[in-house]
Amino acid sequence: MSNIIESATVEDIALYLQREEGLDASTARKQAQTVIDGFTDMQDKGLIKGWYFDEQSHLELLPSDNAMKIIANQK
C-alpha cells in the first residue's frame, strides 16, 4: 500500500459526497475539489503520501514516513 500516490479522484470523492451527504452534483464536485486541495497541501508539506478509499469505502490518508515518526514519538 505504500506505493499509493493518489487513488481517489475528485470525481470519486464527489460521487461519495453525493451518496453519503445527499449533495447535488455541482456542490459535491466543489467540495470534493476542496478536499483534494487540502490533501495536496498536506502532501506538499510532507505529511501524507496519498489518499484512497479503503475496503469499507472510508476515505483514508496514507501518512508519510516523517509523519509516522512524529506520531510514534508522541506516544
Side-chain angles (χ1 to χ4, degrees):
M1 181 107 46
S2 62
N3 294 332
I4 292 176
I5 301 297
E6 171 187 335
S7 110
T9 65
V10 171
E11 292 77 18
D12 294 333
I13 295 171
L15 287 171
Y16 174 83
L17 291 171
Q18 283 181 270
R19 184 182 72 233
E20 296 297 319
E21 302 294 326
L23 300 177
D24 63 82
S26 177
T27 301
R29 176 98 164 97
K30 288 175 189 170
Q31 287 192 10
Q33 187 59 59
T34 300
V35 169
I36 293 290
D37 291 346
F39 289 169
T40 301
D41 184 52
M42 287 190 286
Q43 194 173 42
D44 291 345
K45 291 177 180 174
L47 299 173
I48 63 171
K49 294 180 187 179
W51 53 91
Y52 61 96
F53 281 105
D54 68 9
E55 302 84 27
Q56 289 83 34
S57 298
H58 298 128
L59 191 55
E60 296 287 338
L61 302 178
L62 185 62
S64 68
D65 295 337
N66 287 339
M68 291 303 291
K69 287 177 188 173
I70 292 168
I71 292 167
N73 287 335
Q74 291 182 354
K75 289 183 178 180

